[in-house]
């Protein structure tokens, strides 16, 4: 067993809070996350690589790390079953600090690798969008299954999203509120960029079901927030916002967050009001579901990592599985051009019960679910 693999297994065996602390301290130590190193001869024989660019900045690392672990688990299981055309797929992980320079360097590394045939599961949302804008017109890499939730214009036809976007998540959350009989809700945007990008979508989604949306400041204490608050942002910003909430005695508040919130990390951070429940909207099935891909994800995670499954980890697992399915459909030589042509077909793909289908270039299938962090710290769903 390689030194890098022993390090990865040692870190993975730590309790979740401790593991995250160690990984954060390790920074960009990619070797500690690597899959078992292949023998030199196997490396010489490999002909296929897939790159995953991951934003590990403070704002996104709670989602990105779980997503990355899920992808690693999927590629490890895939290679253990024979890989692609009898050869292992090299999973090239490129970590960034969220800066434009770091992201560009990671993308250039992937693009310069002659055996890299696709980008897969790039995370988070801003990183995935920035990568899409870097693609050259003459020799693009397929940009498969990114954690890209904003609406994206794709004139080069290189982005192949499989997860519902923010608009679909917001619509699902707002519909659930209308079913509950709620007529007004607050909405908090973690930062100005998100507000500029999504305020119209939130307003329109609310109006479609007769729900009034009141925008609340994220950085100030609100004396009496509505009983329901829609939160748009990441886990650290949500934690800060909930801690600052000033609720009248006996008042219960439900905060509905979008996919960039990790409930497990939020629970570990602690310090939340006991009369606040957080509901997270997720673009994947529940991790307790009986779908074959979810069962496989749980089994692989139990074998490789000593931590509970998470929606973001399941998303990373599905992203890798989808990429592998499309690459396996290529007939003839497998290279960037043939891989891109296969993704552009947008054929319906069944990933263990998770269906990916398109209408033209638009994703036609949506898998949106919700889980809740209860006032006593339990995750339900």
């Amino acid at each position: 067993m390689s030194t890098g693999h022993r390090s990865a297994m040692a870190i993975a065996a730590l309790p979740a809070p401790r593991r995250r602390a160690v990984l954060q301290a390790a920074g960009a130590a990619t070797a500690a996350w690597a899959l078992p190193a292949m023998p030199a001869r196997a490396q010489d024989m490999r002909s296929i690589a897939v790159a995953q660019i991951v934003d590990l900045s403070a704002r996104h690392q709670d989602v990105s790390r779980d997503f990355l672990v899920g992808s690693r688990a999927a590629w490890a299981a895939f290679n253990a079953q024979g890989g692609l055309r009898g050869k292992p797929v090299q999973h090239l992980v490129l970590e960034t600090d969220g800066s434009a320079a770091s992201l560009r360097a990671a993308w250039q590394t992937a693009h310069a690798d002659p055996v890299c045939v696709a980008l897969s599961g790039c995370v988070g949302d801003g990183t995935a969008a920035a990568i899409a804008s870097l693609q050259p017109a003459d020799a693009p890499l397929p940009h498969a299954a990114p954690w890209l939730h904003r609406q994206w214009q794709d004139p080069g036809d290189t982005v192949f999203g499989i997860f519902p976007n923010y608009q679909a998540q917001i619509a699902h959350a707002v519909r659930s509120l209308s079913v509950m009989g709620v007529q007004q809700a607050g909405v908090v945007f973690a930062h100005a960029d998100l507000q500029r990008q999504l305020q119209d979508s939130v307003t329109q989604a609310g109006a479609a079901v007769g729900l009034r949306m009141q925008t609340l400041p994220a950085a100030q204490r609100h004396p009496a927030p509505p009983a329901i608050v829609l939160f748009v942002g990441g886990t650290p910003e949500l934690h800060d916002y909930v801690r600052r909430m000033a609720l009248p005695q006996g008042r219960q508040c439900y905060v509905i967050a979008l996919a960039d919130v990790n409930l497990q990390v939020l629970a570990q951070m602690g310090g939340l009001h006991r009369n606040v429940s957080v509901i997270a909207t997720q673009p994947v099935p529940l991790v307790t579901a009986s779908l074959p891909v979810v069962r496989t994800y749980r089994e692989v995670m139990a074998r490789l990592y000593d931590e509970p499954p998470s929606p973001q980890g399941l998303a990373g697992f599905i992203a890798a599985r989808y990429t592998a399915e499309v690459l396996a459909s290529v007939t003839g030589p497998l290279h960037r051009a043939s891989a891109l042509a296969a993704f552009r077909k947008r054929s319906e793909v069944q990933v263990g019960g998770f269906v990916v289908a398109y209408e033209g270039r638009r994703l036609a299938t949506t898998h949106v679910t919700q889980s809740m962090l209860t006032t006593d710290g339990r995750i339900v769903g």
Side-chain angles (χ1 to χ4, degrees):
M1 181 179 293
S2 69
T3 302
H5 185 44
R6 286 196 296 269
S7 300
M9 296 301 292
I11 292 174
L14 293 171
R18 174 62 176 156
R19 185 179 71 86
R20 292 180 188 282
V22 170
L23 288 168
Q24 185 174 7
T30 307
W33 282 89
L35 290 174
M38 292 181 290
R41 183 176 178 183
Q43 287 179 329
D44 291 339
M45 293 173 61
R46 72 166 175 79
S47 59
I48 301 164
V50 170
Q52 184 172 19
I53 300 176
V54 182
D55 181 356
L56 293 180
S57 61
R59 178 180 288 177
H60 298 289
Q61 67 173 317
D62 61 290
V63 168
S64 294
R65 288 210 184 273
D66 277 15
F67 195 100
L68 173 58
V69 168
S71 293
R72 284 197 180 281
W75 286 117
F78 181 73
N79 286 334
Q81 293 172 355
L84 193 58
R85 303 184 180 188
K87 297 179 181 179
V89 175
Q90 182 191 11
H91 180 208
L92 176 63
V93 177
L94 301 168
E95 301 179 357
T96 78
D97 60 10
S99 67
S102 174
L103 191 149
R104 179 177 287 275
W107 180 85
Q108 288 173 339
T109 297
H111 195 265
D113 190 331
V115 298
C116 180
V117 298
L119 297 164
S120 173
C122 296
V123 57
D125 176 72
T127 290
I131 291 167
S133 69
L134 291 173
Q135 294 276 47
D138 55 343
L141 282 165
H143 189 7
W147 188 251
L148 178 62
H149 300 303
R150 68 186 68 188
Q151 289 185 319
W152 185 256
Q153 300 299 319
D154 184 27
D157 194 18
T158 62
V159 181
F160 309 96
I162 67 171
F163 302 116
N165 61 19
Y166 284 134
Q167 283 69 26
Q169 296 171 39
I170 290 168
H172 183 278
V174 168
R175 281 197 303 271
S176 68
L177 294 180
S178 66
V179 170
M180 295 167 58
V182 176
Q183 296 181 333
Q184 181 174 352
V187 58
V188 174
F189 297 94
H191 48 85
D193 287 344
L194 282 174
Q195 184 167 355
R196 284 192 295 270
Q197 177 191 337
L198 294 173
Q199 185 156 23
D200 288 346
S201 296
V202 172
T203 302
Q204 292 168 8
V209 294
L211 185 67
R212 298 187 303 276
M213 306 299 294
Q214 175 190 2
T215 301
L216 308 175
Q220 302 174 17
R221 292 178 69 90
H222 195 279
I228 305 288
V229 174
L230 176 65
F231 184 88
V232 185
T235 309
E237 296 97 339
L238 176 58
H239 183 261
D240 289 343
Y241 174 74
V242 173
R243 285 196 309 135
R244 288 195 302 270
M245 293 178 75
L247 295 173
Q249 186 173 3
R251 171 80 172 275
Q252 179 73 25
C253 183
Y254 292 89
V255 178
I256 299 180
L258 300 186
D260 287 328
V261 165
N262 187 319
L263 289 185
Q264 291 176 348
V265 174
L266 187 66
Q268 292 164 11
M269 295 174 78
L272 303 179
H273 288 284
R274 291 195 60 81
N275 52 346
V276 175
S277 295
V278 179
I279 300 170
T281 297
Q282 303 152 173
V284 291
L286 295 174
V287 295
T288 55
S290 60
L291 285 178
V293 69
V294 182
R295 293 201 308 269
T296 301
Y297 164 66
R298 292 196 301 259
E299 292 165 2
V300 174
M301 285 294 293
R303 192 164 66 246
L304 298 181
Y305 296 94
D306 184 21
E307 63 178 83
S310 71
Q312 290 81 16
L314 175 59
F317 190 87
I318 291 173
R321 285 280 303 271
Y322 170 76
T323 304
E325 290 281 349
V326 176
L327 292 179
S329 73
V330 175
T331 57
L334 178 56
H335 43 66
R336 290 181 188 180
S338 60
L340 182 60
F343 280 104
R344 282 177 172 169
K345 290 179 181 178
R346 290 183 171 85
S347 302
E348 181 175 313
V349 176
Q350 289 268 356
V351 183
F354 184 95
V355 181
V356 180
Y358 298 89
E359 292 178 358
R361 293 190 186 182
R362 186 179 66 85
L363 184 66
T365 50
T366 57
H367 305 264
V368 183
T369 58
Q370 290 181 322
S371 297
M372 181 169 70
L373 176 63
T374 63
T375 56
D376 60 359
R378 294 180 298 112
I379 296 177
V380 180

